[in-house]
């Protein structure tokens, strides 16, 4: 009897090793250390000691910390909802027009809309600060071209309009990413399905809503969860537009990311604390993990049945 020994596929771990090492070094190990640090307290001499859940108790019981945390969480939820209600529907409309309508120069439009996604957040924040500045900005002049100069105001400096304004700046920069994903899903639908609908007398609008849209539900779900993760990790745009992690006018744009930065490194008269900063970061991780887990367990399974 001749036994054929199956060789172990060494090429698989060899090819996976670089990605595994980079992920572990720059993502997994810092995350585990942050979670560990949240269970310690630090005295004035920098000596750390294990404290269990004391930091979490302090965060939720201290009036100032609790108010800042719940305010940041609420602002973050509103930031996410504005992006969901504006960015993704507009991206869907743009992708549908490019994929189904006979528009000339689609490549140019697609590139122009996607281009801001490639820009640095620092550049985008600085550009919009220049445009919307009520002192030297060109926003009022540009609105006067269409007779809307009376509507112009210091939107970034007002508590009522700051969050909406920054959210729309974020939408302007990142709308190209969901648009490209949805566009790729639409043009990937087999032509046989669309031809069958056309032969059956289905009009374009009905074909889109009853055939194409259900078939891209998995992609829309992916776009939603990417928006959720990106918005709850947002920090750099707020930091750039308001030149720091102060949270804007009356903390109206204070996200969890800016609260973490302020707690960890300190800001103005506030002294930073590495252990309390790690506690805020750990709660951010738990919130994002809960959202992603809820999506995979309750939503993705239902969306997968629409795959073709």
């Amino acid at each position: 009897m001749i036994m054929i020994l199956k060789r172990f596929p060494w090429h698989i771990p060899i090819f996976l090793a670089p990605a595994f090492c980079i992920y572990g070094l720059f993502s997994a190990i810092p995350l585990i250390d942050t979670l560990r640090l949240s269970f310690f307290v630090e005295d004035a001499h920098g000596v750390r000691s294990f404290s269990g859940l004391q930091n979490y108790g302090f965060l939720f019981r201290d009036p100032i910390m609790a108010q800042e945390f719940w305010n940041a969480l609420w602002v973050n939820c509103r930031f996410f909802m504005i992006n969901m209600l504006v960015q993704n529907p507009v991206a869907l409309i743009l992708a549908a027009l490019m994929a189904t309508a006979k528009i000339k120069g689609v490549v140019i439009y697609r590139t122009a809309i996607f281009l801001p996604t490639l820009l640095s957040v620092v550049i985008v924040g600085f550009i919009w600060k220049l445009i919307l500045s009520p002192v030297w900005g060109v926003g009022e002049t540009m609105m006067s071209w269409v007779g809307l100069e009376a509507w112009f105001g210091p939107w970034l400096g007002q508590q009522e309009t700051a969050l909406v304004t920054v959210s729309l700046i974020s939408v302007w920069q990142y709308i190209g990413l969901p648009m490209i994903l949805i566009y790729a899903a639409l043009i990937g639908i087999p032509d046989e399905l669309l031809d069958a609908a056309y032969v059956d007398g289905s009009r374009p609008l009905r074909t889109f809503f009853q055939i194409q849209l259900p078939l891209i539900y998995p992609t829309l779900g992916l776009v939603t969860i990417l928006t959720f993760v990106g918005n709850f990790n947002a920090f750099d745009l707020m930091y750039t537009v308001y030149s720091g992690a102060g949270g804007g006018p009356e903390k109206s744009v204070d996200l969890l990311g800016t609260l973490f930065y302020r707690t960890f490194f300190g800001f103005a008269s506030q002294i930073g604390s590495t252990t309390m900063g790690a506690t805020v970061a750990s709660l951010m991780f738990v919130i994002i993990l809960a959202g992603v887990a809820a999506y995979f367990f309750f939503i993705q399974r239902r969306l997968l049945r629409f795959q073709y």
Side-chain angles (χ1 to χ4, degrees), residues 254-300:
D254 191 20
L255 304 179
L256 289 171
T258 51
L259 173 63
F260 156 72
Y261 184 92
R262 201 167 56 247
T263 307
F264 193 95
F265 295 102
F267 183 77
S269 60
Q270 180 180 347
I271 301 175
S273 170
T274 53
T275 54
M276 283 305 300
T279 304
V280 175
S282 299
L283 288 174
M284 290 175 61
F285 170 71
V286 170
I287 292 171
I288 294 173
L289 181 65
V292 173
Y295 166 77
F296 280 113
F297 282 104
F298 300 113
I299 300 177
Q300 191 189 39

Side-chain angles (χ1 to χ4, degrees), residues 87 116-117 119 121 169-179 236:
Q87 174 183 282
T117 307
L119 296 177
V121 177
I169 294 175
S170 175
V171 169
W172 175 84
Q173 182 179 13
Y174 291 112
I175 195 172
L177 188 58
M179 184 201 70
D236 38 13

Side-chain angles (χ1 to χ4, degrees), residues 224-271:
T224 300
I225 200 62
L226 288 178
T227 305
F228 173 78
V229 174
N231 288 165
F232 274 84
N233 275 318
F235 161 77
D236 38 13
L237 182 60
M238 306 296 178
Y239 190 90
T240 304
V241 171
Y242 291 99
S243 304
E250 301 295 334
K251 302 288 177 59
S252 57
V253 292
D254 191 20
L255 304 179
L256 289 171
T258 51
L259 173 63
F260 156 72
Y261 184 92
R262 201 167 56 247
T263 307
F264 193 95
F265 295 102
F267 183 77
S269 60
Q270 180 180 347
I271 301 175

Side-chain angles (χ1 to χ4, degrees), residues 9-20:
W10 288 105
H11 63 284
I12 296 178
I14 289 174
F15 279 109
L16 289 178
F20 183 79

